[in-house]
Amino acid sequence: MFKNKLVNIMIILLVSLTLIGVVTLVLINYLSKDEAASGEPTIDEIIAHSYDTPELTTMLLSNEFAKVQFKIHVDNRRALSEISKRDFQIENIIIRELAGMKSSQLSGSEGITDLETQLKFKINELMTEGIVVDIYTRRLIIQ
């Protein structure tokens, strides 16, 4: 190539380091794909990124009591850590939403889906480290 042996060695080293860097970046990007890119999360991933609310009892607008518990699925570990720190705010949102509802609004799967959607929207407004993917109703008793 070049007549100077030192220049040849430098070029070979630069090309080698560049190749090693490119391979490293490709491997890092390949191995650290997000869950959203890989499709639907598995049940193990859902459980690992879920927060269980305590069982809450509150009065409804129709002067009846509702006892509820939810499982909140978030998109990553940082969001799970954040949501567990915001537990008092989550409980406040749940109590406020239920306090403004009548028992007839909670009857049937449509009513439960509407409540879960409202809670998801309100909780996502609080979140800074991730998002709520889904909310699952674990218990709903109206007395």
Side-chain angles (χ1 to χ4, degrees):
M1 237 162 109
F2 294 104
K3 294 191 182 211
N4 190 346
K5 194 173 185 179
L6 185 60
V7 173
N8 283 340
I9 292 172
M10 282 184 10
I11 290 176
I12 291 171
L13 282 174
L14 285 174
V15 169
S16 299
L17 289 174
T18 304
L19 286 174
I20 290 171
V22 168
V23 169
T24 303
L25 285 176
V26 168
L27 285 175
I28 288 173
N29 285 335
Y30 178 75
L31 295 176
S32 67
K33 284 188 178 178
D34 288 340
E35 293 169 3
S38 65
E40 291 292 316
T42 65
I43 189 67
D44 292 329
E45 292 170 338
I46 291 173
I47 291 170
H49 294 140
S50 292
Y51 170 77
D52 288 323
T53 65
E55 193 172 274
L56 300 171
T57 304
T58 187
M59 187 162 224
L60 299 175
L61 196 58
S62 57
N63 290 327
E64 295 171 294
F65 287 98
K67 189 179 280 194
V68 295
Q69 185 177 20
F70 298 97
K71 183 175 278 285
I72 302 172
H73 175 215
V74 293
D75 65 340
N76 60 49
R77 289 179 195 254
R78 288 177 294 157
L80 183 61
S81 174
E82 178 185 4
I83 208 162
S84 64
K85 291 176 186 174
R86 292 183 180 272
D87 62 340
F88 65 97
Q89 291 174 316
I90 305 297
E91 291 174 21
N92 182 269
I93 289 171
I94 293 169
I95 290 170
R96 286 178 182 262
E97 286 299 315
L98 287 172
M101 298 180 87
K102 295 181 180 178
S103 62
S104 60
Q105 292 174 291
L106 291 172
S107 62
S109 63
E110 205 171 290
I112 294 171
T113 303
D114 290 343
L115 174 63
E116 291 170 349
T117 304
Q118 288 173 0
L119 292 175
K120 180 179 169 182
F121 177 75
K122 297 267 180 152
I123 294 170
N124 273 330
E125 287 180 343
L126 288 176
M127 299 294 288
T128 58
E129 294 293 322
I131 61 168
V132 173
V133 177
D134 210 350
I135 295 182
Y136 302 97
T137 303
R138 297 194 62 202
R139 285 186 187 78
L140 175 61
I141 300 170
I142 299 173
Q143 297 177 345

